[in-house]
Amino acid sequence: MDGTILVADDDRTIRTVLTQALTRAGCKVHATSSLVTLMRWVEEGKGDLVISDVMMPDGNGIEALPKIAKIRPGLPVIVISAQNTIMTAIQAAEAEAFDYLPKPFDLPDLMKRAAKALEVKRRANPAPSTAKAPIEMQDDLPLVGRTPAMQTLYRLVARVMNTDLPVLITGESGTGKSLIARAIHDFSDRRSLPFVVVTATDLATMEGPAAVISRAKNGSILFDEVGDLDEDAQARIVRMLDSFTDHSPRIMATSQADLSAKMEEGVFRQDLFYRLGGVTLSVPSLRERVDDIPLLAEYFFGKADRDGMALRKFTPEATELVRAYSWPGNVRQLENTIRRLIVTAPEEEITRAEVELVLGNQPAVEPLQGGGEGEKLSASVGKHLRRYFDLHGGVLPPPGLYQRILKEVEGPLIEIALDSVGGNQAKCADLLGINRNTLRKKINDLDIQVTRRRKLM
């Protein structure tokens, strides 16, 4: 994405987020909290795109649109507003805004709309052949979600992005804690410096911390799942942090465990807890932001399409079922489920029955936590199977049920087992009681996405 963008918003956090994101995408940015300043820039011929709030301290962004169009015909304006009423959207359309987004807006969505606006302007006014080639915008930003819980998280990320405070990121497995840490680094002033993820192996010796500091330089260090580190590793981190000067790396840590509870149990050092917890960011589980599920599904379908996989979408009934599921594996489980459905679904539209086939045999939080006291696993599995049969309304499921069910059970079992041992396949094979080569074959046959797991080995 290439061009100069004028940003006008009285919210400093929003100006910071947009400036950082647009600059990283390859644009020049001028940001202001004043509509008068914005209009002066427009009159001076600055900018290829305007992104403006509506209610500004010194005027109304929508009312300024006709004047902008008169001064600079063809200059696209994207209106963003916390006045989330139908009238605001209508007024923006009547004033011929290029686009309109209600606050809280989704950052990746706004970035795509900005790229589209710049491209439309470029085609209408071709640049000289000597102009610099546009920089391709990365469309895999991890901040996908427009629910209040996620928008609150985004604002906190913006506030801590360029501070030196240590950041502790908490949340369940699969919520994207490491992605948040990476985003803090990538959008910060340290983005050109190293981002170092520390493993237990890095802290196994007395010399380990010094080597980590040397690798990180003045960039960022992430202790992933810090609650799983043993006492010796924790002590070495404390000594490392105590040795820092004014020009030291940024420290971040993630944990799905309750560190305060671990501290009370005596298995997590109190001094380390307070050193890491300068700012705590809590990443919500997927069931705490159900309204983001359709947006995430659309994002993952689009991502798969760009990767060369078949274009797919959910039917309304399938979307209803996906929203109702509890997603114990959170966003990672949702992505893996969608990728599996893209491969197995025969038509462009994925039906409720096809989703049920995948989800009906995956563990759900409610049945496991809300079942009867001492309920056996077989009883819980039986409920899922009965639900699957009932879905067919008295008609038998397609032939080959036995192998399909085994495959659907094996997949999540192996994925969860891998997560529990931090991705260590040898430990996973021992846990499951199978040969390591057998485990590798099943991972390959079941198309399980093996990525860096969050537990430290």
Side-chain angles (χ1 to χ4, degrees):
M1 190 161 66
D2 189 26
T4 299
I5 300 179
L6 310 179
V7 175
D9 199 296
D10 61 347
D11 188 323
R12 181 185 175 189
T13 299
I14 291 178
R15 294 200 306 273
T16 300
V17 169
L18 291 180
T19 299
Q20 293 285 346
L22 292 166
T23 300
R24 182 172 180 260
C27 295
K28 295 179 180 178
V29 180
H30 298 285
T32 180
S33 61
S34 168
L35 194 60
V36 171
T37 301
L38 171 66
M39 295 307 300
R40 176 168 55 81
W41 288 341
V42 171
E43 291 171 352
E44 291 172 353
K46 293 180 179 178
D48 302 301
L49 167 65
V50 174
I51 299 176
S52 176
D53 193 7
V54 175
M55 303 305 294
M56 300 284 284
D58 52 355
N60 184 296
I62 289 181
E63 293 176 359
L65 285 176
K67 186 176 180 181
I68 292 175
K70 184 176 181 179
I71 298 171
R72 297 275 302 281
L75 178 64
V77 180
I78 295 177
V79 173
I80 55 177
S81 174
Q83 309 299 313
N84 296 339
T85 68
I86 186 65
M87 284 307 300
T88 306
I90 291 173
Q91 289 169 355
E94 288 178 343
E96 298 184 347
F98 179 86
D99 215 333
Y100 163 76
L101 280 85
K103 293 181 181 179
F105 56 81
D106 180 50
L107 180 58
D109 186 30
L110 177 57
M111 295 287 285
K112 290 179 181 179
R113 292 169 191 252
K116 181 180 178 181
L118 289 171
E119 182 60 25
V120 168
K121 184 177 185 300
R122 187 176 296 112
R123 289 176 181 174
N125 302 282
S129 58
T130 56
K132 183 178 66 175
I135 299 174
E136 183 178 354
M137 184 184 71
Q138 295 186 3
D139 60 357
D140 57 349
L141 295 174
L143 306 182
V144 179
R146 66 182 70 201
T147 54
M150 290 303 292
Q151 292 295 326
T152 297
L153 176 62
Y154 300 165
R155 291 188 179 94
L156 286 173
V157 167
R159 291 191 184 106
V160 306
M161 196 160 48
N162 285 315
T163 70
D164 293 327
L165 289 170
V167 177
L168 175 62
I169 307 169
T170 64
E172 296 178 4
S173 175
T175 52
K177 299 186 296 295
S178 294
L179 290 178
I180 295 295
R182 183 79 214 200
I184 291 174
H185 174 81
D186 286 349
F187 286 97
S188 74
D189 294 338
R190 301 174 189 255
R191 58 184 174 273
S192 62
L193 298 169
F195 178 79
V196 177
V197 180
V198 178
T199 68
T201 303
D202 296 319
L203 302 171
T205 65
M206 294 293 293
E207 297 77 19
V212 169
I213 295 174
S214 177
R215 286 164 53 202
K217 303 184 185 302
N218 198 31
S220 301
I221 295 175
L222 173 65
F223 298 104
D224 211 357
E225 291 304 333
V226 68
D228 295 329
L229 296 176
D230 61 28
E231 186 177 346
D232 290 340
Q234 293 178 36
R236 290 185 180 118
I237 293 176
V238 171
R239 288 194 291 272
M240 175 199 296
L241 300 183
D242 286 346
S243 70
F244 280 1
T245 63
D246 291 338
H247 302 287
S248 297
R250 173 73 173 274
I251 295 298
M252 292 182 279
T254 66
S255 177
Q256 59 179 300
D258 185 344
L259 294 186
S260 59
K262 278 181 166 284
M263 184 176 63
E264 293 176 1
E265 294 169 8
V267 294
F268 194 81
R269 292 178 62 115
Q270 186 178 47
D271 52 358
L272 178 56
F273 177 79
Y274 291 115
R275 281 169 171 80
L276 294 176
V279 176
T280 299
L281 303 178
S282 297
V283 185
S285 66
L286 196 50
R287 61 186 173 277
E288 293 176 291
R289 52 185 190 111
V290 173
D291 288 341
D292 281 336
I293 291 177
L295 178 67
L296 286 162
E298 181 182 351
Y299 172 80
F300 290 134
F301 281 132
K303 180 180 177 183
D305 181 42
R306 292 189 296 275
D307 291 341
M309 303 177 73
L311 182 62
R312 294 282 189 264
K313 63 181 179 179
F314 286 132
T315 64
E317 295 78 14
T319 299
E320 180 182 358
L321 177 59
V322 169
R323 284 174 58 92
Y325 186 65
S326 57
W327 299 108
N330 291 295
V331 179
R332 187 194 311 141
Q333 183 191 8
L334 174 63
E335 180 177 16
N336 289 339
T337 298
I338 287 176
R339 291 182 70 88
R340 187 175 302 172
L341 285 165
I342 289 171
V343 172
T344 59
E347 304 294 338
E348 179 181 344
E349 286 197 323
I350 297 172
T351 66
R352 180 185 176 99
E354 289 162 343
V355 176
E356 181 73 17
L357 180 61
V358 174
L359 293 186
N361 300 291
Q362 292 194 30
V365 170
E366 287 81 7
L368 291 178
Q369 292 183 347
E373 190 72 20
E375 182 180 14
K376 292 183 178 180
L377 177 61
S378 59
S380 179
V381 171
K383 289 180 180 178
H384 287 290
L385 292 176
R386 173 54 59 192
R387 185 156 57 95
Y388 173 63
F389 272 79
D390 291 342
L391 180 71
H392 289 78
V395 179
L396 290 177
L401 179 62
Y402 185 80
Q403 289 300 324
R404 289 204 307 273
I405 295 298
L406 285 183
K407 184 176 180 180
E408 294 300 330
V409 170
E410 277 188 316
L413 173 61
I414 292 174
E415 288 179 352
I416 293 169
L418 278 168
D419 279 344
S420 69
V421 296
N424 188 312
Q425 293 188 20
K427 290 182 180 179
C428 183
D430 289 339
L431 176 64
L432 295 172
I434 60 177
N435 183 276
R436 188 173 182 180
N437 290 332
T438 301
L439 174 63
R440 286 175 174 168
K441 185 176 185 303
K442 288 185 178 295
I443 290 173
N444 188 51
D445 291 344
L446 296 169
D447 195 28
I448 295 174
Q449 301 296 314
V450 180
T451 56
R452 180 181 57 81
R453 302 284 165 171
R454 287 177 168 76
K455 270 184 173 288
L456 293 173
M457 292 178 279

